[in-house]
Amino acid sequence: LNETDFLEYFGNDPDTDVILGYIEDIKDGKRFLEIAQKVAKIKPVIIIKSGSTEAGARAASSHTGALAGSDRALTEAFKKVGIIRVNGIKELFEIAEIFKVKKLPKGNRLLVITNAGGPGIIAADTADRLGIRLDPMSKSSIEAIVDKLPSTASLYNPIDVIGDATSERYRVVLEQAIKDPIIEGIYVILTSQAITDVENIAQEIVNKNKKSEKPIFACFIGGKSVKNGINILKEAQIPCYSDPSTGITAYKKLIEFVEIKNRKDPEYVKIEIPEENRQKVKFILEVLQNAGVTAISDENAIEILSLYGFNFPQRALAKTPEEAVQIAEKMGYPVVMKVSSPNILHKTDVGGVRLNLRNADEVYNAFIDITLNVKRFMPNAYIKGVTVYEMITDGKEVILGVSFDKTFGHMIMFGLGGIYVEVLKDISFRIVPVTKEEAHEMIEEIKGSKILEGVRGEKPYDKESIVDKILRLSQLVIDFPIIKEIDINPYIVKHQGGVALDARIIIDYIKI
């Protein structure tokens, strides 16, 4: 029996409400995801996965491979199927605690009730960071409680019933919160003070919880002085924490579980690729495989991606400086020049790229510089020549890529592009196959996504073009799993459409 067998069993077990686990390895990633996707929609699945550092990750040859370690694949796989991942035993049980609630929130609007400002602020800060809304109660609710609380009480959210609050003040606010249609969950924070009737407040929470259709959970702070109150809550199966932020963090997982339960089954868009194009790609890969080639760059990579709907600039291979000048004159300035060699994946690293060349002299000298640089840095590399490209002068640089994980298979990567991608690491991943919704999420979750919306009066850039290319990469590696890595860096996204400027592909020795 393996981890997937146990997951399937407990998923079907009527006596199991929450599944907790610790795993070190997943034997069959495809089957695990298939079972987990079914189980996680019914019951919360909370798992610790050890080995989360990159110390054991392989050395990768492409930008995409270097950025996509096995732990990242696991994180994305869990996200895809709705598994809650935690990093330690303490966190495992803290998150499990919130699932004692039998009523699930209908949204992410939470009311915090507290008798101390500090813990309330901590809870509010955590909620804001996690995207939980702390909207105030309705005007009618505030009017209903204002005369029953001291004038110093804060009536918004968090509602601060002040340090000398007894169970009566908590009762007043709880009763109104349960009736208020704006509120979708209630978090009761108590700090033990001189006149705090801890046990009565705990019992009030229990009583109101019986009548409420909304989840109620608590945070009791005070060590031994609140122990009896905590026991009352525990006996009634009401989640209780000792840290305000921990309770909020756990509640966020409850909200996410509801979203997972309500999530529609994924709709995978099959990109229509002409069968003729598919056969051409198959032929190219077979020829390269038979020749023992694993690292594909330049023309072969460009041709494969072009057949799957990617656009590239005009280009032509020059074998002499004079030929480079002739191509540039015909193409029109400015131009870009890059070394063409099957042995060189990262051309910039060996001085094999020149940009913004504006006349014949610059092109002539660039050809000589590039070839000399490559011979100095990689004397054994085979140089086919130097490719002259039309220079794309507008748009934003992003990176698109594919990596392969031995457990979960292919992943698509998206992020801000250029030579600093490995430093900035502003990237997102998804496990193949990728849905259109996931492709949109990939774009929105990177920090630099706002740049694509246009800044300082710019028009927005074509995000749909990026979505389309993400789906095409997903389709390509589904059709040809021999492809293990793809690196398109940069892909220039314009206000309408986009152009790939450079590409490399890594293939395996597996038979197509």
Side-chain angles (χ1 to χ4, degrees), residues 258-349:
V258 174
E259 291 170 352
I260 291 162
K261 283 180 72 70
N262 296 333
R263 186 192 291 171
K264 294 179 181 178
D265 290 335
E267 296 181 10
Y268 296 107
V269 179
K270 182 173 174 61
I271 299 295
E272 295 299 328
I273 304 296
E275 185 57 29
E276 182 184 358
N277 290 16
R278 210 184 304 270
Q279 290 302 320
K280 285 180 180 178
V281 171
K282 183 179 179 181
F283 176 75
I284 294 167
L285 291 173
E286 283 178 342
V287 169
L288 293 168
Q289 184 187 26
N290 291 334
V293 174
T294 56
I296 308 170
S297 60
D298 299 329
E299 285 306 309
N300 285 323
I302 289 171
E303 186 175 1
I304 289 168
L305 290 166
S306 296
L307 289 165
Y308 266 69
F310 282 80
N311 298 319
F312 286 84
Q314 292 183 65
R315 62 200 177 276
L317 181 68
K319 294 185 177 296
T320 65
E322 292 81 6
E323 194 175 355
V325 170
Q326 289 175 6
I327 293 167
E329 294 282 346
K330 185 178 179 181
M331 192 176 288
Y333 296 103
V335 297
V336 172
M337 295 174 65
K338 300 179 184 180
V339 64
S340 178
S341 169
N343 308 118
I344 301 169
L345 286 181
H346 298 304
K347 302 176 180 69
T348 305
D349 295 349

XYZ file of all heavy atoms in Angstrom, residues 258-349:
733
model
N -13.786 25.747 1.116
C -15.111 26.008 0.541
C -14.977 26.314 -0.945
O -15.782 25.841 -1.767
C -15.804 27.174 1.282
C -17.106 27.546 0.594
C -16.055 26.808 2.736
N -13.962 27.090 -1.292
C -13.738 27.412 -2.708
C -13.430 26.142 -3.503
O -13.883 25.985 -4.648
C -12.594 28.411 -2.840
C -12.942 29.799 -2.294
C -11.731 30.715 -2.204
O -10.597 30.223 -2.422
O -11.914 31.916 -1.913
N -12.663 25.228 -2.902
C -12.332 23.963 -3.564
C -13.597 23.130 -3.767
O -13.818 22.553 -4.831
C -11.290 23.180 -2.741
C -9.938 23.899 -2.770
C -11.135 21.743 -3.258
C -8.991 23.473 -1.672
N -14.451 23.063 -2.728
C -15.701 22.305 -2.828
C -16.602 22.851 -3.931
O -17.292 22.086 -4.623
C -16.458 22.357 -1.493
C -15.925 21.452 -0.412
C -16.729 21.565 0.867
C -18.083 20.925 0.750
N -18.033 19.453 0.679
N -16.586 24.163 -4.092
C -17.462 24.807 -5.071
C -16.836 24.929 -6.455
O -17.486 25.384 -7.400
C -17.864 26.197 -4.580
C -18.684 26.137 -3.303
O -19.359 25.144 -3.031
N -18.628 27.195 -2.499
N -15.574 24.545 -6.537
C -14.864 24.674 -7.815
C -15.459 23.737 -8.862
O -15.692 22.556 -8.601
C -13.384 24.342 -7.587
C -12.486 24.574 -8.789
C -11.124 23.950 -8.558
N -10.342 24.625 -7.544
C -9.199 24.139 -7.058
N -8.739 22.974 -7.488
N -8.524 24.811 -6.137
N -15.701 24.275 -10.039
C -16.193 23.444 -11.134
C -15.077 22.532 -11.620
O -13.895 22.845 -11.492
C -16.691 24.319 -12.284
C -17.921 25.148 -11.948
C -18.328 26.009 -13.133
C -19.541 26.871 -12.794
N -19.916 27.755 -13.927
N -15.457 21.394 -12.180
C -14.453 20.521 -12.771
C -13.704 21.286 -13.857
O -14.326 22.032 -14.634
C -15.101 19.274 -13.362
C -15.649 18.346 -12.275
O -15.133 18.416 -11.148
O -16.595 17.580 -12.562
N -12.387 21.114 -13.925
C -11.602 21.898 -14.890
C -12.007 21.622 -16.332
O -12.302 20.488 -16.699
C -10.153 21.444 -14.617
C -10.276 20.133 -13.913
C -11.557 20.193 -13.137
N -12.018 22.697 -17.107
C -12.304 22.580 -18.539
C -11.011 22.830 -19.309
O -10.499 23.944 -19.333
C -13.376 23.596 -18.954
C -14.731 23.353 -18.304
C -15.774 24.364 -18.753
O -15.487 25.131 -19.703
O -16.851 24.391 -18.137
N -10.502 21.774 -19.891
C -9.234 21.885 -20.621
C -9.514 22.199 -22.084
O -10.268 21.490 -22.753
C -8.427 20.593 -20.487
C -8.017 20.317 -19.061
C -8.618 19.306 -18.329
C -7.049 21.095 -18.444
C -8.254 19.068 -17.012
C -6.670 20.867 -17.132
C -7.281 19.849 -16.423
O -6.929 19.623 -15.115
N -8.913 23.290 -22.551
C -9.103 23.713 -23.941
C -8.067 23.005 -24.807
O -6.861 23.141 -24.580
C -8.932 25.247 -24.070
C -9.095 25.671 -25.519
C -9.925 25.964 -23.173
N -8.546 22.223 -25.750
C -7.613 21.562 -26.672
C -7.282 22.531 -27.802
O -8.166 22.963 -28.535
C -8.219 20.274 -27.236
C -7.265 19.520 -28.162
C -7.834 18.180 -28.571
C -6.952 17.487 -29.600
N -5.593 17.210 -29.105
N -6.022 22.895 -27.883
C -5.580 23.800 -28.941
C -5.531 23.025 -30.261
O -4.890 21.969 -30.344
C -4.191 24.383 -28.611
C -4.233 25.184 -27.310
C -3.687 25.235 -29.762
C -5.089 26.429 -27.357
N -6.200 23.534 -31.242
C -6.244 22.856 -32.540
C -4.963 23.146 -33.325
O -4.724 24.271 -33.744
C -7.476 23.308 -33.338
C -8.804 22.917 -32.701
C -8.969 21.408 -32.553
O -8.441 20.670 -33.422
O -9.608 20.977 -31.582
N -4.160 22.128 -33.471
C -2.927 22.216 -34.265
C -3.135 21.382 -35.528
O -3.515 20.207 -35.437
C -1.719 21.673 -33.469
C -1.566 22.407 -32.138
C -0.441 21.764 -34.302
C -1.256 23.872 -32.233
N -2.906 21.953 -36.711
C -3.068 21.160 -37.939
C -2.236 19.878 -37.876
O -1.077 19.905 -37.419
C -2.559 22.106 -39.038
C -2.741 23.483 -38.469
C -2.507 23.341 -36.992
N -2.801 18.780 -38.321
C -2.101 17.494 -38.259
C -0.785 17.552 -39.042
O 0.213 16.925 -38.662
C -2.994 16.381 -38.796
C -2.398 14.983 -38.673
C -2.031 14.613 -37.243
O -2.665 15.104 -36.293
O -1.080 13.816 -37.078
N -0.773 18.306 -40.123
C 0.464 18.468 -40.899
C 1.570 19.076 -40.042
O 2.726 18.629 -40.089
C 0.185 19.364 -42.112
C 1.394 19.568 -43.016
C 1.103 20.536 -44.155
O -0.044 21.019 -44.257
O 2.034 20.824 -44.934
N 1.228 20.084 -39.237
C 2.219 20.708 -38.350
C 2.700 19.725 -37.290
O 3.887 19.663 -36.972
C 1.613 21.938 -37.663
C 1.393 23.084 -38.633
O 1.400 22.894 -39.839
N 1.196 24.288 -38.103
N 1.771 18.951 -36.756
C 2.130 17.971 -35.736
C 3.126 16.945 -36.301
O 4.092 16.563 -35.625
C 0.854 17.281 -35.240
C 0.914 16.823 -33.785
C -0.354 16.075 -33.404
N -1.550 16.853 -33.627
C -2.098 17.652 -32.728
N -1.548 17.758 -31.540
N -3.191 18.333 -33.005
N 2.874 16.501 -37.507
C 3.755 15.517 -38.135
C 5.140 16.110 -38.426
O 6.157 15.412 -38.328
C 3.113 14.987 -39.424
C 1.902 14.097 -39.189
C 2.217 12.881 -38.327
O 3.273 12.253 -38.467
N 1.297 12.545 -37.417
N 5.175 17.387 -38.785
C 6.469 18.051 -39.024
C 7.290 18.115 -37.746
O 8.505 17.877 -37.754
C 6.246 19.458 -39.579
C 5.817 19.494 -41.039
C 5.618 20.928 -41.524
C 5.192 20.971 -42.972
N 4.940 22.350 -43.458
N 6.623 18.448 -36.635
C 7.328 18.497 -35.349
C 7.841 17.108 -34.984
O 8.982 16.951 -34.525
C 6.399 19.037 -34.237
C 7.057 18.885 -32.863
C 6.054 20.497 -34.487
N 7.005 16.098 -35.190
C 7.412 14.723 -34.894
C 8.657 14.343 -35.700
O 9.602 13.739 -35.167
C 6.265 13.766 -35.224
C 6.578 12.309 -34.878
C 5.400 11.403 -35.189
C 5.755 9.955 -34.845
N 4.642 9.019 -35.164
N 8.680 14.729 -36.968
C 9.821 14.406 -37.830
C 11.087 15.103 -37.330
O 12.161 14.484 -37.235
C 9.520 14.819 -39.267
C 10.676 14.607 -40.212
C 11.013 13.334 -40.654
C 11.450 15.691 -40.645
C 12.091 13.144 -41.511
C 12.517 15.505 -41.498
C 12.844 14.228 -41.934
N 10.983 16.390 -36.996
C 12.148 17.144 -36.506
C 12.716 16.485 -35.248
O 13.933 16.285 -35.126
C 11.770 18.612 -36.216
C 11.401 19.342 -37.506
C 12.918 19.340 -35.509
C 10.717 20.680 -37.274
N 11.835 16.138 -34.322
C 12.283 15.545 -33.058
C 12.912 14.171 -33.278
O 13.906 13.822 -32.623
C 11.110 15.450 -32.081
C 10.579 16.789 -31.550
C 9.313 16.578 -30.724
C 11.632 17.513 -30.724
N 12.349 13.399 -34.184
C 12.913 12.077 -34.474
C 14.315 12.194 -35.058
O 15.228 11.447 -34.684
C 11.999 11.318 -35.434
C 10.768 10.734 -34.761
C 9.852 10.040 -35.739
O 9.979 10.287 -36.965
O 8.983 9.265 -35.289
N 14.487 13.143 -35.983
C 15.812 13.351 -36.592
C 16.828 13.747 -35.529
O 17.953 13.207 -35.469
C 15.725 14.428 -37.703
C 17.133 14.843 -38.148
C 14.935 13.905 -38.882
N 16.455 14.684 -34.665
C 17.370 15.147 -33.615
C 17.667 14.037 -32.622
O 18.807 13.865 -32.173
C 16.755 16.355 -32.899
C 16.629 17.628 -33.746
C 15.761 18.649 -33.035
C 18.014 18.213 -34.032
N 16.647 13.271 -32.274
C 16.841 12.175 -31.330
C 17.794 11.127 -31.893
O 18.707 10.665 -31.214
C 15.493 11.541 -31.010
C 15.569 10.445 -29.953
C 14.248 9.734 -29.790
O 13.447 9.696 -30.721
N 14.021 9.178 -28.625
N 17.593 10.776 -33.156
C 18.461 9.782 -33.794
C 19.901 10.278 -33.907
O 20.837 9.475 -33.935
C 17.921 9.420 -35.173
C 16.613 8.646 -35.100
O 16.348 7.978 -34.094
N 15.786 8.742 -36.138
N 20.061 11.604 -33.967
C 21.410 12.176 -34.039
C 22.031 12.347 -32.654
O 23.165 12.822 -32.546
C 21.348 13.519 -34.758
N 21.291 11.981 -31.612
C 21.813 12.098 -30.250
C 21.775 13.513 -29.693
O 22.444 13.816 -28.705
N 20.979 14.402 -30.320
C 20.892 15.793 -29.866
C 19.855 15.889 -28.747
O 18.740 15.384 -28.863
C 20.478 16.729 -31.027
C 20.246 18.148 -30.526
C 21.538 16.707 -32.119
N 20.224 16.536 -27.640
C 19.251 16.760 -26.556
C 18.962 18.247 -26.360
O 17.871 18.595 -25.908
C 19.775 16.173 -25.228
O 21.055 16.745 -24.928
C 19.903 14.662 -25.310
N 19.930 19.103 -26.662
C 19.740 20.552 -26.496
C 19.479 21.178 -27.858
O 20.355 21.174 -28.731
C 20.968 21.174 -25.849
N 18.277 21.698 -28.058
C 17.868 22.254 -29.346
C 17.767 23.767 -29.217
O 17.059 24.284 -28.352
C 16.490 21.708 -29.772
C 16.479 20.174 -29.714
C 16.114 22.187 -31.163
C 15.080 19.586 -29.880
N 18.456 24.469 -30.085
C 18.326 25.932 -30.087
C 18.228 26.408 -31.525
O 18.207 25.628 -32.465
C 19.522 26.584 -29.376
O 20.727 26.250 -30.029
N 18.147 27.728 -31.656
C 18.129 28.357 -32.972
C 17.009 27.829 -33.866
O 15.875 27.714 -33.425
C 19.493 28.229 -33.656
C 20.592 28.922 -32.861
O 20.292 29.920 -32.202
O 21.725 28.427 -32.886
N 17.349 27.479 -35.106
C 16.340 27.228 -36.127
C 15.394 26.080 -35.785
O 14.196 26.166 -36.035
C 17.010 26.968 -37.484
C 17.540 28.226 -38.140
C 16.472 29.310 -38.278
O 15.378 29.024 -38.796
O 16.727 30.447 -37.847
N 15.910 24.983 -35.235
C 15.040 23.843 -34.941
C 14.014 24.191 -33.858
O 12.838 23.849 -33.975
C 15.861 22.627 -34.509
C 16.556 21.962 -35.685
O 16.001 21.890 -36.778
N 17.770 21.477 -35.463
N 14.471 24.867 -32.809
C 13.554 25.270 -31.742
C 12.521 26.257 -32.266
O 11.320 26.160 -31.964
C 14.333 25.885 -30.582
N 12.979 27.198 -33.073
C 12.075 28.203 -33.648
C 11.050 27.540 -34.571
O 9.854 27.867 -34.529
C 12.881 29.276 -34.404
C 13.633 30.159 -33.408
C 11.966 30.122 -35.295
C 14.620 31.115 -34.048
N 11.491 26.569 -35.370
C 10.571 25.904 -36.289
C 9.504 25.110 -35.531
O 8.317 25.156 -35.873
C 11.337 24.975 -37.235
C 10.431 24.380 -38.301
C 11.182 23.549 -39.333
O 12.417 23.413 -39.222
O 10.507 23.024 -40.239
N 9.929 24.390 -34.489
C 8.965 23.610 -33.694
C 7.906 24.527 -33.092
O 6.702 24.258 -33.179
C 9.704 22.823 -32.581
C 10.522 21.686 -33.190
C 8.718 22.287 -31.541
C 11.491 21.037 -32.221
N 8.354 25.614 -32.486
C 7.415 26.520 -31.826
C 6.552 27.270 -32.840
O 5.366 27.532 -32.586
C 8.166 27.491 -30.927
C 8.791 26.839 -29.681
C 9.798 27.766 -29.021
C 7.723 26.429 -28.685
N 7.117 27.596 -33.996
C 6.337 28.257 -35.052
C 5.204 27.356 -35.521
O 4.088 27.825 -35.785
C 7.231 28.629 -36.227
O 8.208 29.576 -35.854
N 5.475 26.063 -35.624
C 4.449 25.117 -36.052
C 3.319 25.001 -35.035
O 2.212 24.551 -35.364
C 5.082 23.740 -36.302
C 5.976 23.653 -37.552
C 6.827 22.394 -37.523
C 5.125 23.704 -38.824
N 3.587 25.418 -33.797
C 2.554 25.408 -32.750
C 2.016 26.806 -32.451
O 1.428 27.044 -31.405
C 3.081 24.729 -31.486
C 2.719 23.252 -31.456
C 3.300 22.357 -32.338
C 1.757 22.772 -30.576
C 2.958 21.019 -32.334
C 1.400 21.438 -30.560
C 2.006 20.553 -31.445
O 1.637 19.223 -31.439
N 2.240 27.723 -33.410
C 1.542 29.006 -33.335
C 2.304 30.162 -32.732
O 1.710 31.208 -32.450
N 3.613 30.031 -32.533
C 4.411 31.152 -32.016
C 4.946 31.982 -33.186
O 5.325 31.437 -34.229
C 5.589 30.640 -31.179
C 5.199 30.219 -29.790
C 4.615 28.979 -29.566
C 5.408 31.057 -28.709
C 4.248 28.583 -28.296
C 5.054 30.664 -27.422
C 4.463 29.425 -27.210
N 4.988 33.290 -32.968
C 5.563 34.200 -33.966
C 6.995 34.552 -33.574
O 7.291 34.749 -32.395
C 4.738 35.489 -34.036
C 3.314 35.229 -34.474
O 3.079 34.417 -35.370
N 2.367 35.892 -33.836
N 7.862 34.661 -34.576
C 9.257 35.058 -34.372
C 9.599 36.192 -35.331
O 8.948 36.346 -36.379
C 10.203 33.873 -34.614
C 10.188 32.843 -33.504
C 9.226 31.848 -33.487
C 11.105 32.896 -32.474
C 9.193 30.908 -32.468
C 11.082 31.962 -31.453
C 10.119 30.969 -31.443
N 10.619 36.996 -35.031
C 11.019 38.071 -35.954
C 11.611 37.503 -37.241
O 12.011 36.340 -37.309
C 12.096 38.838 -35.161
C 12.050 38.314 -33.772
C 11.471 36.949 -33.834
N 11.697 38.366 -38.258
C 12.458 37.996 -39.465
C 13.884 37.661 -39.054
O 14.450 38.288 -38.145
C 12.523 39.169 -40.441
C 11.222 39.572 -41.085
C 11.492 40.699 -42.072
O 12.192 40.521 -43.083
N 10.949 41.876 -41.773
N 14.508 36.719 -39.745
C 15.866 36.323 -39.373
C 16.525 35.631 -40.577
O 15.840 35.105 -41.462
C 15.850 35.380 -38.169
C 15.126 34.102 -38.451
C 14.663 33.365 -37.215
N 13.903 32.180 -37.583
C 12.613 32.183 -37.886
N 11.941 33.315 -37.884
N 12.000 31.060 -38.212
N 17.848 35.641 -40.554
C 18.611 34.918 -41.580
C 20.004 34.656 -41.034
O 20.555 35.462 -40.269
C 18.675 35.720 -42.876
N 20.579 33.516 -41.427
C 21.903 33.117 -40.945
C 22.991 33.675 -41.846
O 22.927 33.548 -43.076
C 22.000 31.591 -40.893
C 23.332 31.026 -40.392
C 23.525 31.341 -38.900
C 23.410 29.517 -40.637
N 23.986 34.318 -41.243
C 25.143 34.847 -41.977
C 26.381 34.044 -41.594
O 26.605 33.776 -40.408
C 25.339 36.315 -41.643
N 27.172 33.680 -42.582
C 28.397 32.923 -42.317
C 29.646 33.799 -42.389
O 30.730 33.376 -42.020
C 28.517 31.752 -43.304
C 27.414 30.703 -43.105
C 27.625 29.514 -44.013
C 26.585 28.427 -43.777
N 26.646 27.841 -42.449
N 29.481 35.037 -42.891
C 30.607 35.981 -42.967
C 30.110 37.361 -42.558
O 28.896 37.645 -42.604
C 31.161 36.066 -44.404
O 30.142 36.633 -45.257
C 31.574 34.686 -44.926
N 31.022 38.275 -42.191
C 30.605 39.637 -41.866
C 29.913 40.322 -43.040
O 28.945 41.062 -42.858
C 31.912 40.353 -41.505
C 32.916 39.291 -41.251
C 32.475 38.081 -41.980
N 30.414 40.067 -44.244
C 29.840 40.693 -45.428
C 28.398 40.217 -45.651
O 27.505 41.013 -45.988
C 30.679 40.362 -46.677
C 32.056 40.988 -46.705
C 33.079 40.208 -45.875
O 32.723 39.107 -45.380
O 34.213 40.708 -45.687
N 28.187 38.941 -45.434
C 26.842 38.389 -45.604
C 25.891 38.970 -44.550
O 24.730 39.255 -44.843
C 26.888 36.859 -45.486
C 25.624 36.187 -45.965
C 25.741 34.666 -45.943
O 26.830 34.134 -45.645
O 24.718 34.008 -46.217
N 26.406 39.171 -43.335
C 25.593 39.762 -42.265
C 25.144 41.167 -42.656
O 23.987 41.558 -42.431
C 26.388 39.798 -40.958
N 26.060 41.940 -43.259
C 25.722 43.303 -43.687
C 24.649 43.263 -44.776
O 23.684 44.053 -44.748
C 26.989 44.048 -44.189
C 26.600 45.370 -44.852
C 27.953 44.287 -43.035
N 24.790 42.354 -45.742
C 23.798 42.248 -46.818
C 22.405 41.937 -46.250
O 21.400 42.521 -46.680
C 24.211 41.147 -47.797
C 25.418 41.502 -48.653
C 25.874 40.327 -49.520
O 25.223 39.281 -49.557
N 26.997 40.501 -50.215
N 22.353 41.014 -45.290
C 21.064 40.637 -44.681
C 20.467 41.833 -43.950
O 19.262 42.132 -44.077
C 21.258 39.446 -43.719
C 21.641 38.185 -44.493
C 19.997 39.213 -42.886
C 22.144 37.045 -43.619
N 21.309 42.534 -43.187
C 20.819 43.686 -42.409
C 20.299 44.797 -43.318
O 19.265 45.419 -43.034
C 21.931 44.209 -41.500
N 21.012 45.044 -44.421
C 20.589 46.089 -45.361
C 19.218 45.753 -45.957
O 18.355 46.620 -46.117
C 21.617 46.227 -46.490
C 22.982 46.751 -46.042
C 22.993 48.251 -45.808
O 22.050 48.928 -46.236
O 23.943 48.743 -45.168
N 19.046 44.473 -46.282
C 17.787 44.035 -46.872
C 16.647 44.065 -45.850
O 15.512 44.428 -46.163
C 17.960 42.622 -47.436
C 16.744 42.101 -48.180
C 17.019 40.713 -48.760
C 15.797 40.191 -49.490
N 16.041 38.827 -50.049
N 16.976 43.692 -44.607
C 15.969 43.596 -43.536
C 15.572 44.973 -43.023
O 14.425 45.227 -42.682
C 16.544 42.739 -42.392
C 15.553 42.296 -41.346
S 16.388 41.200 -40.151
C 16.624 39.713 -41.124
N 16.533 45.875 -42.972
C 16.299 47.213 -42.433
C 16.761 47.329 -40.999
O 16.615 46.395 -40.205
N 17.349 48.479 -40.668
C 17.893 48.695 -39.314
C 16.811 49.226 -38.374
O 15.814 49.811 -38.836
C 19.065 49.675 -39.396
C 20.246 49.164 -40.184
C 20.490 49.612 -41.490
C 21.111 48.222 -39.633
C 21.560 49.144 -42.229
C 22.184 47.743 -40.364
C 22.408 48.196 -41.652
O 23.476 47.718 -42.369
N 17.003 49.043 -37.076
C 18.091 48.352 -36.388
C 17.903 46.830 -36.415
O 16.792 46.351 -36.651
C 17.985 48.877 -34.952
C 16.532 49.164 -34.760
C 16.038 49.636 -36.099
N 18.997 46.102 -36.141
C 18.952 44.647 -36.124
C 19.616 44.123 -34.847
O 20.304 44.856 -34.134
C 19.646 44.020 -37.354
C 18.934 44.422 -38.638
C 21.128 44.399 -37.404
N 19.395 42.836 -34.611
C 20.017 42.112 -33.499
C 20.821 40.974 -34.101
O 20.402 40.375 -35.099
C 18.945 41.550 -32.528
C 19.573 40.644 -31.482
C 18.185 42.687 -31.869
N 21.963 40.658 -33.490
C 22.768 39.534 -33.967
C 23.079 38.585 -32.815
O 23.431 39.022 -31.715
C 24.055 40.038 -34.622
C 23.793 40.842 -35.893
S 25.285 41.604 -36.606
C 26.231 40.172 -37.060
N 22.932 37.277 -33.098
C 23.181 36.251 -32.085
C 23.965 35.111 -32.708
O 23.706 34.711 -33.846
C 21.867 35.697 -31.532
C 20.972 36.730 -30.860
C 19.684 36.087 -30.363
C 18.745 37.108 -29.772
N 17.490 36.501 -29.284
N 24.884 34.561 -31.935
C 25.653 33.418 -32.407
C 24.711 32.247 -32.636
O 23.733 32.057 -31.898
C 26.759 33.029 -31.405
C 26.181 32.561 -30.072
C 27.675 31.960 -31.988
N 24.965 31.468 -33.660
C 24.189 30.266 -33.945
C 25.085 29.057 -33.729
O 26.037 28.836 -34.480
C 23.656 30.297 -35.382
O 22.946 29.122 -35.667
N 24.785 28.294 -32.660
C 25.597 27.133 -32.319
C 24.756 26.134 -31.543
O 24.060 26.515 -30.595
C 26.801 27.542 -31.465
O 27.438 26.393 -30.920
N 24.790 24.859 -31.907
C 24.053 23.839 -31.155
C 24.628 23.596 -29.765
O 23.991 22.958 -28.928
C 24.186 22.593 -32.043
C 25.435 22.808 -32.827
C 25.521 24.286 -33.051
N 25.829 24.113 -29.513
C 26.502 23.868 -28.226
C 26.289 24.982 -27.208
O 26.735 24.864 -26.067
C 28.011 23.680 -28.447
C 28.332 22.636 -29.490
O 28.935 22.924 -30.519
N 27.883 21.406 -29.252
N 25.639 26.064 -27.631
C 25.508 27.228 -26.739
C 24.029 27.503 -26.479
O 23.279 27.847 -27.398
C 26.179 28.476 -27.353
C 27.661 28.204 -27.616
C 26.011 29.677 -26.428
C 28.332 29.273 -28.455
N 23.610 27.357 -25.221
C 22.226 27.646 -24.858
C 22.058 29.089 -24.391
O 21.126 29.766 -24.780
C 21.761 26.681 -23.769
C 21.472 25.241 -24.224
C 20.992 24.407 -23.049
C 20.461 25.203 -25.347
N 22.968 29.551 -23.535
C 22.862 30.915 -23.011
C 23.868 31.805 -23.738
O 25.021 31.951 -23.336
C 23.114 30.926 -21.498
C 22.113 30.109 -20.732
N 20.759 30.329 -20.826
C 22.267 29.059 -19.897
C 20.120 29.460 -20.061
N 21.010 28.676 -19.489
N 23.416 32.424 -24.815
C 24.312 33.167 -25.708
C 24.896 34.409 -25.047
O 26.041 34.776 -25.292
C 23.547 33.545 -26.990
C 22.972 32.358 -27.754
C 22.152 32.824 -28.945
C 21.568 31.663 -29.713
N 20.520 30.954 -28.945
N 24.101 35.058 -24.211
C 24.577 36.278 -23.549
C 25.803 36.002 -22.702
O 26.717 36.825 -22.613
C 23.457 36.880 -22.670
O 22.302 37.086 -23.479
C 23.873 38.209 -22.073
N 25.830 34.815 -22.063
C 26.925 34.484 -21.145
C 28.288 34.398 -21.838
O 29.331 34.532 -21.185
C 26.641 33.142 -20.438
C 25.423 33.224 -19.525
O 24.940 34.344 -19.283
O 24.959 32.157 -19.069
